């Protein structure tokens, strides 16, 4: 474990005591995906980037294009991928050239993606309550499917691409006809938000997870419950299967990973993988020999299936933004809770969602080399000072700098803003 923690500080992919660490992001890892041939891995992060990793080890290629956290990554073919995020966008990537195409149309974050079996269509689940249907080759929107009464969390193709199945915060799982772009039926009403789906081989069964911790297996022919895997840990955040579907893994908001044998739906392993925080992302490697997981750490971790770690392998140390508020002064407390997940105080070279704050005062907005700014910030002519920082948080970044990538947040109390500014002056 100590060696694994040391490797978390290194850049690239490394192995330690059979644990492999994909480290290099500057924010929590929100999604992971493995290519069909097992040679590449994708990670999506809160730092706005997509990482493309060689499975055999080595440094990643960074795919930059999103303007907010990346929540979904997916291989769409041997040399292509897609991603979606909090900037409401879907991006198609050519992995060989690095070229990309940005698809817009959603009005909320893109939470999940699915590709049709023939690789022609992409579906996107969005918190605007719709499902986007896209032609991959032409890079155009074919339809926005509406009918859910709340955010759509997951979507999968079924019936050889003729059907879409979606999960929503409205507590329902619904089926849609792809050709007619219409809802065909409600498969299930859970009562609490449904967060994730997994369709079994031959489409014989469907596993779903929910915000109340509900984890159930449904027979697709009869809608009967084949197994109830609920362990009262909430919410369930991701479900993944190994290539032959003999095992599935379930991750939850309390940091546990449960591995289940699908032959009899018995629990093979159940352990706390993260000391703090959730398990947002799960994927099996192409040979089924290892599980990849992502959470509140700035790294994804893989470990062999069938082994039970001696302790947590994710979030093994406390993140700064989760420190006990009583151990900090008010200015630092404002920074840790409002700023630290996106910004560093020093020019440490770590990838983050926002630029370094080193040398902040007197610096022109949009001028840190190598950081991709929104047009509104880059062309603002603004210079950071006590007055401009105060105004930024007084009315909120989205009003002070319309079009900025900064999250929507205010610091309403003038004392809190003043203490934050004093802290920044002393530490940047």
């Amino acid at each position: 474990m100590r060696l694994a923690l040391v490797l978390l500080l290194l850049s690239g992919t490394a192995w330690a005591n059979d644990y492999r660490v994909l480290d290099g992001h500057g924010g929590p890892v929100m999604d992971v995906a493995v290519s069909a041939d097992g040679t590449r891995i994708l990670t999506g992060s809160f730092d706005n980037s997509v990482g493309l990793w060689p499975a055999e080890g080595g440094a990643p290629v960074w795919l930059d294009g999103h303007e907010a956290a990346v929540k979904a990554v997916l291989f769409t073919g041997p040399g292509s991928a897609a991603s979606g995020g909090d900037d409401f966008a879907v991006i198609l990537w050519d992995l060989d050239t690095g070229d990309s195409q940005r698809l817009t149309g959603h009005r909320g974050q893109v939470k999940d993606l699915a590709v049709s079996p023939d690789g022609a269509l992409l579906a996107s689940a969005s918190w605007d309550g719709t499902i986007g249907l896209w032609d991959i080759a032409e890079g155009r929107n074919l339809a926005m499917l509406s009918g859910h009464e709340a955010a759509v969390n997951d979507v999968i193709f079924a019936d050889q691409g003729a059907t879409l199945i979606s999960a929503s915060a409205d507590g329902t799982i619904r089926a849609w006809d792809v050709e007619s772009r219409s809802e065909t039926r409600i498969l299930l009403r859970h009562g609490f938000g449904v967060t994730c789906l997994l369709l079994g081989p031959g489409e014989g069964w469907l596993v779903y997870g929910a915000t109340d911790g509900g984890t159930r297996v449904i027979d697709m022919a009869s809608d009967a419950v084949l197994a109830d895997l609920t362990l009262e840990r909430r919410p369930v955040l991701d479900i993944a299967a190994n290539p032959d579907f003999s095992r599935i893994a379930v991750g939850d908001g309390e940091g546990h990973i449960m591995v289940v044998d699908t032959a009899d739906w018995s629990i093979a392993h159940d352990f706390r993988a993260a000391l703090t925080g959730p398990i947002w992302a799960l994927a099996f490697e192409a040979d089924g020999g290892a599980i990849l997981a992502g959470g509140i750490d700035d790294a994804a971790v893989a470990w062999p299936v069938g082994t039970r770690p001696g302790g947590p392998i994710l979030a093994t140390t406390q993140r700064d933004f989760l420190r006990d508020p009583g151990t900090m002064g008010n200015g630092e407390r404002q920074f840790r809770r409002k700023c630290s997940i996106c910004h560093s105080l020093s020019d440490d070279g770590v990838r983050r969602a926002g630029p370094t704050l080193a040398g902040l005062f007197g610096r022109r907005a949009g001028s840190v080399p190598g950081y991709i700014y929104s047009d509104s910030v880059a062309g603002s002519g603004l210079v950071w000072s006590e007055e401009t920082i105060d105004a930024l948080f007084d009315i909120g970044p989205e009003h002070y700098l319309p079009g900025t990538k900064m999250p929507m947040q205010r610091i309403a109390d003038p004392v809190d803003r003043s203490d934050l500014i004093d802290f920044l002056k002393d530490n940047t």
Side-chain angles (χ1 to χ4, degrees):
M1 285 303 299
R2 290 180 181 175
L3 183 53
L5 292 178
V6 170
L7 287 167
L8 282 169
L9 303 176
L10 303 179
S11 177
T13 309
W15 283 94
N17 298 334
D18 292 329
Y19 304 115
R20 185 168 41 157
V21 181
L22 279 67
D23 184 52
H25 280 295
V29 173
M30 313 298 294
D31 199 16
V32 294
V34 179
S35 64
D37 64 5
T39 62
R40 293 175 170 183
I41 297 168
L42 286 171
T43 51
S45 171
F46 193 88
D47 69 3
N48 304 353
S49 73
V50 176
L52 175 63
W53 309 77
E56 70 276 9
V61 173
W62 298 111
L63 305 177
D64 292 312
H66 282 285
E67 297 177 352
V70 179
K71 295 295 182 64
V73 292
L74 175 73
F75 286 95
T76 57
S80 59
S83 58
D86 280 359
D87 55 359
F88 309 170
V90 174
I91 296 181
L92 302 178
W93 301 95
D94 184 317
L95 300 179
D96 297 322
T97 66
D99 293 340
S100 64
Q101 182 177 5
R102 188 180 182 87
L103 308 180
T104 59
H106 281 300
R107 297 182 179 180
Q109 71 162 268
V110 177
K111 185 64 174 61
D112 188 67
L113 298 168
V115 63
S116 61
D118 62 4
L121 301 177
L122 184 73
S124 53
S126 173
W127 279 17
D128 65 6
T130 70
I131 301 160
L133 189 63
W134 313 83
D135 183 299
I136 293 177
E138 297 183 7
R140 65 183 179 93
N141 179 253
L142 300 174
M144 288 293 185
L145 309 182
S146 60
H148 279 294
E149 298 173 1
V152 184
N153 291 315
D154 204 353
V155 64
I156 51 178
F157 279 93
D159 299 331
Q160 297 182 326
T163 300
L164 278 171
I165 301 175
S166 58
S168 170
D170 65 10
T172 67
I173 300 174
R174 305 184 186 221
W176 310 76
D177 181 79
V178 172
E179 184 176 0
S180 67
R181 321 282 201 251
S182 61
E183 181 183 327
T184 56
R185 73 183 183 110
I186 296 178
L187 279 69
L188 180 141
R189 294 184 184 273
H190 179 70
F192 291 86
V194 182
T195 54
C196 47
L197 301 170
L198 176 69
L199 189 60
E203 302 179 4
W205 47 260
L206 178 78
V207 184
Y208 76 89
T211 57
D212 67 336
T215 312
R216 296 186 177 90
V217 187
I218 306 299
D219 183 283
M220 289 294 287
S222 66
D223 293 344
V225 177
L226 297 176
D228 190 338
L229 305 173
T230 304
L231 293 179
E232 302 301 331
R233 296 195 293 249
R234 59 193 67 182
V236 175
L237 295 175
D238 202 12
I239 304 172
N242 65 355
D244 65 5
F245 287 87
S246 62
R247 281 188 169 179
I248 66 170
V250 180
D252 63 50
E254 298 178 30
H256 298 84
I257 295 176
M258 173 176 62
V259 180
V260 177
D261 285 329
T262 61
D264 59 3
W265 300 111
S266 62
I267 298 175
H269 302 282
D270 182 47
F271 62 96
R272 185 159 196 162
L275 181 63
T276 59
I279 302 297
W280 276 308
L282 288 171
F284 282 82
E285 294 197 339
D287 63 0
I291 300 175
L292 277 159
I296 208 165
D297 275 343
D298 295 349
V301 178
W303 70 98
V305 175
T307 64
R308 177 171 178 153
I313 59 174
L314 284 164
T316 53
T317 57
Q318 185 77 290
R319 298 301 303 266
D320 283 346
F321 51 84
L322 296 177
R323 281 173 49 195
D324 180 358
T327 65
M328 300 176 278
N330 187 43
E332 183 178 5
R333 182 162 58 248
Q334 297 300 320
F335 171 76
R336 297 298 176 196
R337 294 299 175 88
K338 306 289 178 61
C339 311
S340 68
I341 195 169
C342 294
H343 301 278
S344 62
L345 294 169
S346 61
D347 192 5
D348 55 13
V350 175
R351 300 177 59 85
R352 296 188 186 276
T356 177
L357 300 183
L360 177 65
F361 290 86
R363 187 175 79 200
R364 181 175 59 82
S367 63
V368 173
Y371 182 78
I372 302 173
Y373 289 91
S374 61
D375 292 340
S376 63
V377 173
S380 68
L382 189 72
V383 174
W384 294 117
S385 66
E386 294 181 37
E387 293 74 23
T388 55
I389 295 171
D390 182 78
L392 176 77
F393 288 111
D394 183 18
I395 63 174
E398 73 277 18
H399 296 297
Y400 191 64
L401 288 168
T404 180
K405 294 190 292 185
M406 294 182 66
M408 295 181 289
Q409 62 176 335
R410 292 182 61 214
I411 300 178
D413 189 334
V415 174
D416 289 342
R417 295 198 303 273
S418 177
D419 288 346
L420 171 62
I421 290 167
D422 287 343
F423 175 80
L424 292 175
K425 287 171 66 179
D426 289 340
N427 290 276
T428 61

